[in-house]
Amino acid sequence: TQLLEQSPQFLSIQEGENLTVYCNSSSVFSSLQWYRQEPGEGPVLLVTVVTGGEVKKLKRLTFQFGDARKDSSLHITAAQPGDTGLYLCAGVDNAGNMLTFGGGTRLMVKP
Amino acid sequence: EAQVTQNPRYLITVTGKKLTVTCSQNMNHEYMSWYRQDPGLGLRQIYYSMNVEVTDKGDVPEGYKVSRKEKRNFPLILESPSPNQTSLYFCASSFFASFEYNEQFFGPGTRLTVL
């Protein structure tokens, strides 16, 4: 079974600060996805990174896939209260049809 | 509106009382899946279905059954629920199973408590 570890598990910061969330594994994934989940709702896909070393930007969010396709990071610049939520990474297996989720990072951004 | 719906949203039951959680999608998706979410463990896949009449086990299938008789519906059945099945359950669907190139849409979740 492939495992994904996310760190930190919890993060509480002030509005305007920068932060990075990490997603690490000893296994290689064909691609890596990041989701955001808000209370009472299901996860919503933010991005999929496919190529080792790939960097994708979504407004103030920057996603990077490790060169060896074993790890990924999510960096948020100038965090806002609307960024508050649970962030989940998920690795896609080599067949492309199964996801392994990390344990999640619960982010709170205080005004 | 394109969506995945689940019912019920909340359920409290007792050990051993059979229950079914329904899932329906209106996007003509071939792939459907059930996950459970527990604190600190992320989402773990229970069962998935590539198409009608095709189902397969995920990582944690013990104690669960599924069926896919119609493309739009994928019910999750707990024949004899136990307290360790207390969890938040999500149904999800996508056009096909290749997640690199197509998005998986999640339902709003069903919070199940087994006493």
Side-chain angles (χ1 to χ4, degrees):
Chain A
T1 300
Q2 298 174 307
L3 294 174
L4 271 172
E5 292 189 4
Q6 280 186 245
S7 61
Q9 288 187 45
F10 301 96
L11 192 54
S12 180
I13 61 173
Q14 292 295 134
E15 182 176 1
E17 292 184 11
N18 302 330
L19 67 112
T20 302
V21 176
Y22 299 94
C23 178
N24 294 296
S25 176
S26 58
S27 303
V28 175
F29 293 99
S30 68
S31 60
L32 202 294
Q33 299 184 327
W34 285 92
Y35 292 80
R36 182 166 72 201
Q37 183 180 10
E38 302 195 20
E41 298 180 9
V44 176
L45 181 67
L46 295 174
V47 77
T48 301
V49 283
V50 179
T51 308
E54 182 177 4
V55 176
K56 279 192 175 178
K57 291 194 173 184
L58 191 65
K59 297 184 180 178
R60 294 176 292 100
L61 279 61
T62 301
F63 306 85
Q64 183 162 9
F65 199 13
D67 291 340
R69 305 207 317 275
K70 293 182 179 181
D71 56 86
S72 181
S73 63
L74 157 59
H75 182 79
I76 301 179
T77 303
Q80 298 178 1
D83 296 326
T84 292
L86 178 68
Y87 289 82
L88 295 158
C89 65
V92 182
D93 70 344
N94 288 331
N97 59 15
M98 285 195 70
L99 291 176
T100 299
F101 281 85
T105 294
R106 192 165 296 281
L107 171 66
M108 178 175 289
V109 181
K110 301 175 189 174
Chain B
E1 180 189 356
Q3 59 183 347
V4 178
T5 56
Q6 296 178 227
N7 282 292
R9 293 291 311 277
Y10 303 90
L11 180 60
I12 300 174
T13 189
V14 296
T15 299
K17 187 176 181 181
K18 181 179 178 180
L19 67 93
T20 299
V21 183
T22 65
C23 172
S24 183
Q25 50 91 7
N26 62 0
M27 296 170 279
N28 202 34
H29 286 170
E30 291 188 355
Y31 183 93
M32 297 186 75
S33 182
W34 275 102
Y35 296 87
R36 61 177 289 174
Q37 184 175 30
D38 302 289
L41 296 179
L43 280 81
R44 294 179 292 167
Q45 191 176 52
I46 304 170
Y47 269 94
Y48 64 94
S49 170
M50 297 281 214
N51 213 327
V52 176
E53 302 292 2
V54 180
T55 63
D56 211 343
K57 296 177 180 178
D59 294 323
V60 289
E62 293 77 22
Y64 304 95
K65 285 176 58 177
V66 293
S67 68
R68 187 92 181 272
K69 292 182 171 28
E70 305 166 283
K71 198 171 188 177
R72 62 183 295 131
N73 296 322
F74 191 43
L76 179 69
I77 303 157
L78 283 71
E79 294 270 3
S80 183
S82 62
N84 64 13
Q85 292 178 298
T86 292
S87 188
L88 180 58
Y89 291 85
F90 288 100
C91 180
S93 73
S94 59
F95 276 112
F96 44 90
S98 179
F99 297 129
E100 291 180 0
Y101 304 108
N102 79 118
E103 182 175 355
Q104 188 168 208
F105 294 87
F106 286 81
T110 294
R111 186 167 291 282
L112 172 65
T113 302
V114 183
L115 302 174

